[in-house]
Every structure is written in C-alpha cells, then in structure tokens.
Amino acid sequence: MPRVEVNEQACTGCGVCVDTCPTDVLRLDPQEKAFAAYPADCQGCFVCQWDCAYGAIRVVVNG
Amino acid sequence: MAVRLETDVLVIGGGIAGAFAAYRAREAGARVLLVDRSYFGRSGCSALASGVYPAYMPGDDKDAWMRAFGGPLVNQPLVAKSLPVMHEHVLLMDRWGVNWVKEGRKIVRMGAPGRSFANGVWMAEGGPQMMMAVRSGVVGSGVEVLNRVALTELLTSDGRLPTAGRVVGAAGFHTRTGEIHEIAAKATVVCTGPYKFPYPWPGSTLGYMPIDLSGDGIAMMMRAGAELSRLELGGINLNPDNALSAPGLESLMPSGAKWVDQDGRRFLEDYDPKRMEMTQRALLYFAIAHQKELGRVPSMDLREVSPERMQLIRRVIPIVVNNQEAMVGDLTEKPVPYTYQVAGTSGIFGAGARVTERGETTVPGLYAAGTCTDMTYLPGGNLPFCSVTGDWTGRAVGAAVESVEPPQPPAQQVERVTAQILEPLQRRDGVAFEPVHRRLGEMLMEKVGLVLHADRLDAALAELRDIREHEVPLLVAHNPHELAKVWGLTQYLQVLEATLRAYRYRTESRVAFIREDYPVIDNVNWVKMVVVKQQNGALRLWDEPLPESWHDPHPVRPTQNLHLVFRNQEAPHAAR
Ligand SMILES: Cc1cc2nc3c(=O)[nH]c(=O)nc-3n(C[C@H](O)[C@H](O)[C@H](O)COP(=O)(O)OP(=O)(O)OC[C@H]3O[C@@H](n4cnc5c(N)ncnc54)[C@H](O)[C@@H]3O)c2cc1C
C-alpha cells in the first residue's frame, strides 16, 4: 500500500497538504505537524509531496 | 446546525466538466456555487489525468477526425460541432496558465493511438498543474467554491424522489465536520465524474485512481427520476498490476512503448498487425482481456523508448511514472504487467444521465455534463469532450436561470434527507464498512470480471441484492470521514445494479464491453442506446434506435458486423 512519510523537522504546519489531499488522508497533530490520519485511503498520487514547499513529505509506494 | 446556502447555479463536482460549466454560467451573469467532496483543482480524474488533451486545431482534416472519433454509436454532427470548441479551450487554458508542451511559443501536438494524425496537446507538468491553473481561472471569474462537502441527495420542488416537479438544489455533509449542508439553487448541474469500485485494494483488478469516485451524481440523478444511458459501454480500463496508477497510453504508445506477453511476444500481431500498438483503444482492451483469459501476462515494454522521450514523459505523466517506478524500479529496464479495473466507467468513456447537447437531463432543473452523462453520445470521456460538454451546459444554464424564481426546498424533505445522511453515524450495532466492501469487491472480480456472461451476471445481481438489502442498511460510520466512504459505497451499489442490468440487456459485444455468450459486434441489431430508469422502486430498461442523422458522414453498414475472432481458436473464457 502507498503511504505518506512526514519529516517533522521540515514540516512547518502550513497545512497545504491537509487542504489539497484528494482523498483526505492528512491532518495536523496537536504539535501542528502533518500526519496521515486515514492512512488506508492514500492512493499514492504524490500530490502532497509536490505541494509541500518545504520538502517535508514523501510518498512511499511499494509492493 | 445545518449550513443553508442559496445560489442561482449549483455545480456539483469540480473536475474539468464542472470547471467549464461553472465558468460559462458565471460568464452569463449567474451566481455560481461549485461544491466538491474533495478539493477543487486536486480532485477527480481531471487533476490526475495522464497529460494529454487531444485537441482539434484550425486547418486539421475534419474527415480524419470523424473517422477516428465517429464510430457507430456516436453523434457525428455533434463531434464536428465540438472540434472548434476544443481549440478555444486550449487557448483559454493557456491564458489561465496551463503549461502546455511548446516549441518556442507554439503549442505542439503529438500522435496518438487509433488516429492517423497528430492531435495530442501535452501538459508539460501533467494533470495536477493543468487543473490548478484551471481552478485559478474559474475562481478568478467569480465562481464561489466549497470544498470537502459531499452532496448525497437532490432536493425537489414536490419533496419527492423521483420527482414530478423540478430539482431545486441538493443536500449533503462536510466530510470533516459532518455538518449538514442544504443548498437551494435555481438549477443544479451534476459533474461528479465517472464511477468505479471505491477505495480498492492494490492488485484487486478494481484499482484505478482516483479511488474515491463512486458514482454519487449518477445515483442521485437516477433516484430523482433521470433516465440513464450508455452504462454498459462505459466500462473497464487498464492499470499496472499492484499499483493504483493511471495508464498514460496516449503518450506512451506513440513514444515507442510495446505490448508483450510473458515470452516477449508482441501479441497485437494477432489482432491488428498493421497498426500494432497504435491500434484503437477498444481493440487494445479486447486484445488484453483476451490475453488474460488465455492465461497470458500482457505487459507494457518501454525498453525502446528513447532517453530524451522518457525524460519528457516523466514530466507529462508524473503520477504514472512515479507510482510505477516506486514499485518496480526503472521502467525502461523490463516490461510491467498490466491488469484491469472492472465494473465502473473509469473516466475514459462517458455513462450516466441522458442529456441533450445543452446538458438538460430528463428532469426539469437538473443538468449534467462530463463523464457522469452519456455525453449526448460523443465518443466518450476524455478531457476535451468533458470540457466541451461542460461549456455548452454552463452557457445553457446561465441563460435558463434568468427566468427561474428562487426555489424553496420543502422543509420536510430536507429533514428526512438530513436524518438519512446521518444515520450511519448513529447506529450502535451495525456492520463495519470493511467486510461489506471486501465482499462486494471479491464478488465483482469473481462473478463479473472482464469477459461477461449472462449466468455470471445473474449470480452477481443476486449477490448484489443480498448485500444491498441485508448489509448496506446496517453500515456503521464512526466519524465524518468514514461516513463519506459509507455513502460512496451505498451510491456505487445503486449505479452498479443499473450497470449490471444494462450489461445483461445488450446482447452483443462492442467497445470494451465483451460478452462470451454474444461475441459479435452486431451493427444490425445493436446500433441502439439502452436506457435505464428508476420507476416505482424498480429499474426499467428499454432500447432506442439512434437517429440516422447521427451517422453522417460515416454511415453504419450492416456489413460491419464482426465476430470477435480468436486466431488461436481458443474460446474467450478458456482460462476459467
Ligand atoms: C487517471 C486518469 C488519467 C486520465 N488521463 C487522461 C488524459 O491524459 N487525457 C484525457 O483526455 N483524458 C484522460 N482521462 C479521462 C479524463 O481525465 C476524464 O474523462 C475527465 O477528467 C473527467 O472529467 P469530469 O469533470 O467528468 O470528472 P472528474 O474530473 O472525475 O471530476 C468529478 C468531480 O466530482 C467530485 N464529486 C464526486 N462526487 C461528489 C459528491 N457527491 N459531491 C461533491 N463532489 C463530488 C469529485 O471530487 C471530482 O472533483 C484520464 C482518466 C483517469 C482516471
């Protein structure tokens, strides 16, 4: 299954990925860092990775 | 507390059809609200599209276009009318900032499978950049946008479904807060895209992005009493094994990609030795389905694509390439096996509400455009035919609402619908989403599959009814996110039932619709549309011939009847 990895050091909590994820996987945690609240619904489209201006998100797709 | 909104034109769904419908209605002076269950600009097929907008340009040979796009079930005069609009859209999107592949300042076009001429305008940064630029053009025109609201039911002037009155808006919920949204509108335009088995698991042969399109709009329109058509012809598409990725055929095939089996043999020799990989999509689908049935492993081989072309492809179809390379490594090293998605409309062909070229459905006040319609029998759902039908619908709606009084959705209906929407959140001991979802998916793979047969379809319909009657009414959601999935599955089941019934009704094979028990492209008896309508709680199906004027300049000749011939003489279902 595809999954989203967030680098907490790099994440600024801007929330762009939370806004734009097509399948609504992401949320901000109490520390204002993005995390996959609904990991099972990640389709591996890479949109969050491309939208993150800080290079804080990586989509991992493997068999 | 419910959120109550009021507008002239409500557009449901922000893919390319919804975007153009909203833009043109706004341009005509209407107040327009576009509602998307996801995020306008990032949602739907349009934002994940594989980089090619096939477009006519002035000076093209119109007859070549008609030969490529004017098949027996196509409204040819309408295709001809759509051609200059595509060109207009390419230029408009260029102004909005869509990054087309250019030589200097000139937009260039590439060849495409099934066509004798170059027609593909390529996106230099793929579908995601295209739709974000379209979004900014549409928002800049004054269209209001509401994201993360899934609309689940149409509201009607008589408070009934199906209605004898008109559609006066829609209701749904916010997929994060669960807040009910009630929207009153003088006209409602459904642009909810294609439908497919929602939230597939990788490798299930049901998988294909975007994974959340469940046919909501088609189900809503059916309940409101709209006639549907083309459901049986809107199906299947390809995707790489084990990835939920898109195919990218339009750019890969003209770049030197090959289809091979597990022994490296180019099996298209058996089906279209002249055109091989540049064959028509329908024939390619058939060939691959047939190879699968024979137990072969059809795979895409990119080893002969030049490094320069591969570099361009990486930009044009970034989702496809990223997705697959993450799974299998360098794509140019070895062939990648491909599989199928079944029982959905995948976004490549249109199927859904019967519409006029002005986007009118058979229900007053209700319009539709793009892949959730039969697209007035244009050749199918690709970006240009969706933007064109959106455009025509937007203009018509913009003009029509001028003479409509502000509507008042009946309070009783709103109350009933609200209670229904929230029910899965309030159930205590119902059934969980996952097992029902899994049961349905496995049923589809086992009983429907790629090559259809009446017996298997009957068994599928019986199981479907069982799921619908005994499990769906008990589905539980623990939060609004899950509620969206429960509603998606519920809507999908209704559209699926109508589709399986339409599969059963058409007793021939055509496009990517392949029946083991009727392996004939039957142009004598089946140049017809199959219509489905919900009436008195049941589905009614009938067929209607297509007007002869639709087949001008390329008439349908009965001699075009074709048996699907299998060179190696094995029956199509040999593997079972
Ligand atoms: C992965 C992929 C790649 C493709 N690549 C190409 C290509 O390169 N070139 C090409 O010409 N064609 C391509 N196609 C086909 C083309 O993308 C589609 O035909 C076209 O984008 C469909 O547009 P649409 O507006 O009808 O629907 P969509 O773009 O799917 O939009 C539907 C919208 O409705 C919203 N929605 C759905 N239900 C609800 C609800 N209940 N409430 C509110 N909103 C809702 C969705 O969130 C979505 O935004 C591709 C299709 C796919 C799936």
Side-chain angles (χ1 to χ4, degrees):
Chain A
M1 287 298 279
R3 66 175 194 279
V4 183
E5 284 180 4
V6 179
N7 174 343
E8 292 197 1
Q9 253 90 58
C11 176
T12 64
C14 74
V16 164
C17 59
V18 179
D19 280 348
T20 61
C21 169
T23 51
D24 205 17
V25 169
L26 297 157
R27 293 287 184 276
L28 291 182
D29 68 16
Q31 283 75 48
E32 302 270 291
K33 303 287 176 191
F35 78 107
Y38 301 99
D41 299 336
C42 175
Q43 62 184 354
C45 67
F46 293 88
V47 159
C48 55
Q49 182 173 315
W50 297 327
D51 274 351
C52 179
Y54 307 95
I57 300 195
R58 212 162 70 94
V59 176
V60 182
V61 183
N62 55 33
Chain B
M1 270 306 281
V3 176
R4 289 211 174 84
L5 301 166
E6 187 266 323
T7 184
D8 293 339
V9 177
L10 166 64
V11 176
I12 310 179
I16 199 157
F20 273 88
Y23 179 75
R24 289 299 186 207
R26 176 75 200 122
E27 194 183 49
R31 288 176 306 150
V32 182
L33 175 64
L34 184 154
V35 179
D36 201 294
R37 60 172 282 175
S38 173
Y39 182 86
F40 174 40
R42 284 290 183 233
S43 57
C45 300
S46 306
L48 301 180
S50 296
V52 183
Y53 184 94
Y56 170 87
M57 290 212 182
D60 279 3
D61 175 358
K62 276 201 178 164
D63 213 46
W65 272 89
M66 299 313 298
R67 276 196 301 277
F69 287 98
L73 293 182
V74 169
N75 182 341
Q76 294 174 10
L78 208 58
V79 175
K81 196 172 159 187
S82 74
L83 298 180
V85 187
M86 295 173 185
H87 177 239
E88 200 185 306
H89 287 186
V90 170
L91 299 183
L92 179 59
M93 287 192 272
D94 193 55
R95 286 205 295 282
W96 285 342
V98 173
N99 190 2
W100 303 122
V101 170
K102 293 181 180 173
E103 271 165 18
R105 293 173 56 191
K106 190 167 170 280
I107 296 168
V108 291
R109 286 183 304 166
M110 312 282 195
R115 279 150 246 165
S116 56
F117 52 102
N119 76 338
V121 177
W122 286 18
M123 299 159 208
E125 297 168 79
Q129 194 275 337
M130 176 201 65
M131 269 316 283
M132 284 306 270
V134 167
R135 175 195 165 94
S136 66
V138 171
V139 172
S141 77
V143 168
E144 303 272 346
V145 176
L146 188 60
N147 292 311
R148 307 287 174 198
V149 171
L151 294 173
T152 54
E153 201 74 276
L154 295 169
L155 302 170
T156 56
S157 57
D158 58 3
R160 288 166 197 259
L161 294 172
T163 181
R166 54 187 289 123
V167 167
V168 293
F173 62 97
H174 196 283
T175 62
R176 291 183 181 170
T177 63
E179 249 175 332
I180 292 291
H181 282 63
E182 171 200 332
I183 302 166
K186 294 178 184 172
T188 301
V189 187
V190 177
C191 299
T192 49
Y195 77 100
K196 44 193 87 197
F197 180 74
Y199 302 98
W201 55 97
S204 64
T205 76
L206 300 165
Y208 193 82
M209 284 182 213
I211 62 167
D212 59 340
L213 294 184
S214 38
D216 301 18
I218 303 173
M220 285 188 255
M221 292 190 282
M222 179 162 78
R223 289 194 296 272
E227 291 175 10
L228 311 181
S229 96
R230 223 184 202 183
L231 289 175
E232 76 284 14
L233 298 175
I236 76 171
N237 206 349
L238 298 167
N239 56 277
D241 254 346
N242 294 316
L244 299 177
S245 184
L249 301 182
E250 294 266 323
S251 53
L252 289 167
M253 292 301 125
S255 300
K258 308 269 183 295
W259 286 104
V260 297
D261 66 13
Q262 69 269 40
D263 302 321
R265 197 175 88 84
R266 286 172 68 188
F267 56 83
L268 284 166
E269 296 260 354
D270 295 347
Y271 304 89
D272 189 351
K274 221 166 107 202
R275 288 188 292 184
M276 297 294 288
E277 275 76 13
M278 293 297 271
T279 191
Q280 281 170 331
R281 215 174 250 242
L283 192 72
L284 176 67
Y285 291 158
F286 171 71
I288 289 178
H290 185 217
Q291 289 291 306
K292 282 239 165 210
E293 292 295 315
L294 296 175
R296 315 294 294 168
V297 185
S299 306
M300 199 196 285
D301 184 351
L302 299 183
R303 282 176 297 187
E304 284 176 30
V305 180
S306 72
E308 301 77 54
R309 183 48 82 93
M310 206 52 216
Q311 219 175 351
L312 176 60
I313 294 239
R314 276 175 213 285
R315 289 168 40 214
V316 172
I317 50 171
I319 297 174
V320 182
V321 176
N322 268 281
N323 217 276
Q324 291 189 55
E325 295 211 319
M327 302 281 289
V328 297
D330 187 344
L331 279 178
T332 55
E333 261 169 26
K334 58 176 190 302
V336 182
Y338 264 62
T339 184
Y340 264 93
Q341 84 140 42
V342 298
T345 52
S346 75
I348 306 297
F349 305 101
R354 252 182 112 170
V355 286
T356 66
E357 78 181 73
R358 294 159 53 82
E360 296 140 327
T361 68
T362 50
V363 177
L366 179 61
Y367 297 73
T371 38
C372 62
T373 73
D374 71 352
M375 306 190 82
T376 62
Y377 276 64
L378 287 173
N382 62 9
L383 294 167
F385 289 118
C386 290
S387 68
V388 169
T389 54
D391 183 311
W392 289 341
T393 305
R395 287 175 195 271
V397 170
V401 291
E402 279 177 23
S403 55
V404 178
E405 289 297 308
Q408 207 31 268
Q412 268 187 335
Q413 186 184 35
V414 173
E415 207 175 299
R416 198 168 56 238
V417 169
T418 302
Q420 252 169 17
I421 291 172
L422 297 174
E423 237 171 74
L425 282 173
Q426 279 141 13
R427 275 184 201 120
R428 289 281 158 262
D429 27 53
V431 291
F433 173 85
E434 287 76 14
V436 179
H437 174 254
R438 191 78 181 206
R439 180 179 171 202
L440 182 70
E442 281 169 0
M443 182 280 276
L444 284 175
M445 291 199 284
E446 187 192 324
K447 301 203 168 107
V448 180
L450 303 179
V451 178
L452 309 167
H453 189 285
D455 296 345
R456 292 188 293 272
L457 288 172
D458 288 344
L461 275 161
E463 185 158 353
L464 188 67
R465 263 177 233 124
D466 186 59
I467 296 173
R468 201 192 59 202
E469 280 163 27
H470 298 113
E471 297 185 355
V472 170
L474 299 175
L475 281 170
V476 174
H478 299 98
N479 54 51
H481 182 89
E482 279 185 23
L483 187 64
K485 293 175 75 168
V486 164
W487 269 104
L489 194 67
T490 308
Q491 311 273 27
Y492 174 71
L493 271 161
Q494 296 190 5
V495 185
L496 181 64
E497 183 173 3
T499 302
L500 296 184
R501 291 282 304 276
Y503 281 175
R504 188 76 172 75
Y505 193 96
R506 183 176 284 275
T507 49
E508 61 143 7
S509 296
R510 179 181 297 278
V511 197
F513 170 71
I514 306 163
R515 283 196 63 160
E516 182 188 352
D517 42 358
Y518 297 94
V520 181
I521 300 172
D522 183 351
N523 283 335
V524 176
N525 298 304
W526 278 108
V527 180
K528 282 177 182 169
M529 63 171 96
V530 173
V531 186
V532 185
K533 183 177 177 171
Q534 197 166 46
Q535 255 173 351
N536 307 323
L539 293 178
R540 193 163 81 78
L541 285 86
W542 68 94
D543 58 77
E544 287 180 21
L546 299 176
E548 264 179 39
S549 64
W550 284 21
H551 299 130
D552 177 33
H554 296 283
V556 182
R557 295 185 306 274
T559 49
Q560 286 170 336
N561 261 17
L562 270 182
H563 279 262
L564 299 174
V565 180
F566 306 105
R567 281 267 169 107
N568 36 12
Q569 298 303 313
E570 276 138 306
H573 230 72
R576 269 174 212 272

